[in-house]
Amino acid sequence: MTSLPTEIADRLKRTPDGLVPAVVQQHDTGEVLMLAWMDDEALHRTLTTGRATYWSRSRGEYWVKGETSGNPQLVKEVRLDCDGDTLLVKVDQVGVACHTGARTCFDDGLLSG
């Protein structure tokens, strides 16, 4: 069982598999870096360690951003949206955020504009 405080856990609206999307943003520029997923335990670890921790849907395990890549996300604040179904994680990104080596996961994704 998670150690996430009840007052936070009760506000979360999770997907059927217990996850909440986390939009990750550079704290000082507002740049959107990536989208990841958190369950209660990942959120608890993020809030208590100050290191962004996510649930990998493809690997079925927790991962701390930067633990293997050397590009950590140092958490500045975490916010919950008004509906309780999306997290905003403001970080200080060290190095690149995307596994492809791009600064953000959205660098090569322009569809319009």
Side-chain angles (χ1 to χ4, degrees):
M1 188 162 186
T2 183
S3 300
L4 190 64
T6 304
E7 63 271 13
I8 296 173
D10 288 348
R11 295 177 60 194
L12 296 175
K13 292 181 185 169
R14 301 161 190 82
T15 63
D17 51 356
L19 301 173
V20 177
V23 176
V24 184
Q25 182 180 46
Q26 176 63 35
H27 76 99
D28 53 354
T29 66
E31 178 181 36
V32 177
L33 301 171
M34 57 184 272
L35 173 78
W37 295 90
M38 290 184 171
D39 64 2
D40 288 17
E41 181 61 27
L43 180 55
H44 169 71
R45 292 180 188 188
T46 297
L47 293 172
T48 57
T49 67
R51 296 284 306 273
T53 304
Y54 306 108
W55 176 255
S56 171
R57 295 181 303 165
S58 60
R59 294 189 312 262
E61 64 185 18
Y62 295 102
W63 57 283
V64 178
K65 180 68 175 150
E67 195 169 65
T68 57
S69 69
N71 298 311
Q73 292 175 343
L74 309 175
V75 177
K76 298 297 184 179
E77 64 182 52
V78 179
R79 294 175 176 261
L80 183 61
D81 80 337
C82 59
D83 296 322
D85 63 2
T86 304
L87 296 162
L88 176 61
V89 183
K90 293 188 174 192
V91 302
D92 186 13
Q93 174 68 55
V94 178
V96 300
C98 189
H99 69 279
T100 65
R103 169 71 183 160
T104 84
C105 293
F106 299 98
D107 277 355
D108 297 325
L110 182 63
L111 302 179
S112 176

